[in-house]
Amino acid sequence: MNKSNKRRLAAALASCVVGLLASCYGGTPLLKINGTLEEPTGSEMPAKVKQALATTTRLHQFKIMDDTTHNVNVFGIGELDGGVSTEGYGVVVMKNATSTLFPDIRNSRQPRAFYDAASNSLWLASCVMEGTGVNVEQLHKMRFGPDDDSTRIVATIEPFQMQQQLISCLNYSVKGDRISFYANGVELATATNTVTDMGGLDAEQPIWIGEQISYDLGHGDVRVCVTPGVKFTTGLVLTYDDMPTLSAKVKVADDGSFRLTDFKADDGEREQ
């Protein structure tokens, strides 16, 4: 088959796929979700706190996780000597009697950790952006050394990375006030917008993600949870009323690569 015929065949197949999608979803087109994060968020302990940390003799810690069965503990650093605040930075991981300090990991807004003994993986989710309607977390996968109990980070999923991966999987459609969400072409949930005083849905880009990305670490499975926000014709902030929380299982390799599977929708509260 020559190149010209190959191009015609590819175009014909693409046309068939578009036609099938249109018929499956009642002629309502599937649209790509937009992302609020424009670049990696970054996370680094302020320089003045690092200077104070270098000379402190004691860390005033608070507990994040305590796994007494496997002698694994995770602490956040609240203060240094003299009552110097860490400004929400600093995490210590302890295995048996060995402590490892991670100064650039945020510890504000209740970070969560889970040790999966079966895979010898320690998972830590920490908030890197917060505010009214905003809760954005970063995921770390850690392991303990083969010859000692020191801790190392083997993979970190930055929120911008996760947002872009979610965007590649998620779609939505709008029919009146009903908004349906899809993952890889499969419908997950349909929500009915009840907001009536914001001038209606934005005509160009009504659905966004990126302001609410968090993680469920329970039971050995790590799931990312994202709540889409709605942009209306009036107002500068996204609205989350009526929107479901979408989640997916996160499979993270030690080289930092990851993939998303098993998408679900949950209208209720997720387990912490």
Side-chain angles (χ1 to χ4, degrees):
M1 182 182 293
N2 60 39
K3 292 183 178 179
S4 178
N5 288 336
K6 287 182 179 178
R7 285 195 294 269
R8 291 193 187 98
L9 178 59
L13 289 173
S15 178
C16 289
V17 170
V18 171
L20 286 171
L21 286 176
S23 63
C24 288
Y25 306 112
T28 303
L30 295 189
L31 307 172
K32 297 300 294 183
I33 286 178
N34 307 284
T36 63
L37 301 177
E38 298 180 352
E39 60 184 3
T41 57
S43 179
E44 185 176 1
M45 178 180 276
K48 64 178 182 179
V49 181
K50 281 191 176 181
Q51 292 174 359
L53 180 63
T55 58
T56 194
T57 58
R58 181 181 178 187
L59 304 178
H60 299 268
Q61 302 175 148
F62 59 90
K63 188 172 294 184
I64 295 173
M65 187 204 79
D66 182 8
D67 186 336
T68 57
T69 301
H70 302 99
N71 293 322
V72 178
N73 296 274
V74 182
F75 301 92
I77 308 172
E79 290 183 348
L80 307 175
D81 286 343
V84 176
S85 171
T86 62
E87 299 187 20
Y89 283 85
V91 167
V92 175
V93 178
M94 177 177 288
K95 176 71 180 294
N96 295 319
T98 302
S99 297
T100 307
L101 171 64
F102 299 95
D104 296 326
I105 294 181
R106 294 285 304 275
N107 63 45
S108 61
R109 194 172 276 197
Q110 297 180 330
R112 297 173 312 286
F114 174 77
Y115 177 59
D116 181 8
S119 63
N120 190 34
S121 299
L122 177 67
W123 299 95
L124 176 68
S126 62
C127 183
V128 294
M129 291 179 61
E130 58 190 86
T132 303
V134 177
N135 181 55
V136 181
E137 293 183 347
Q138 184 165 274
L139 180 68
H140 303 279
K141 180 182 181 181
M142 302 177 177
R143 290 196 187 279
F144 299 105
D147 301 320
D148 58 26
D149 292 326
S150 62
T151 312
R152 70 190 191 281
I153 296 175
V154 296
T156 296
I157 301 181
E158 214 281 333
F160 180 75
Q161 287 179 289
M162 178 54 72
Q163 173 190 270
Q164 297 307 102
Q165 185 70 11
L166 287 165
I167 286 174
S168 71
C169 298
L170 296 176
N171 296 88
Y172 71 97
S173 65
V174 177
K175 193 171 185 179
D177 285 326
R178 292 178 63 79
I179 304 170
S180 297
F181 295 94
Y182 305 82
N184 301 317
V186 177
E187 184 174 350
L188 297 177
T190 296
T192 300
N193 170 51
T194 62
V195 178
T196 59
D197 59 351
M198 298 289 285
L201 300 179
D202 182 83
E204 295 183 358
Q205 297 179 328
I207 305 299
W208 296 74
I209 63 170
E211 286 188 348
Q212 294 192 17
I213 299 175
S214 59
Y215 291 90
D216 185 339
L217 307 181
H219 311 298
D221 287 335
V222 176
R223 298 189 69 84
V224 60
C225 304
V226 56
T227 304
V230 181
K231 184 176 183 293
F232 293 93
T233 56
T234 61
L236 300 177
V237 297
L238 298 178
T239 300
Y240 294 91
D241 297 351
D242 310 312
M243 292 298 102
T245 294
L246 311 177
S247 70
K249 186 181 295 185
V250 187
K251 296 289 188 179
V252 187
D254 285 2
D255 64 1
S257 62
F258 69 96
R259 60 189 179 91
L260 305 179
T261 64
D262 187 29
F263 278 86
K264 296 179 180 179
D266 182 9
D267 293 327
E269 297 182 356
R270 68 182 178 85
E271 184 179 6
Q272 296 291 327

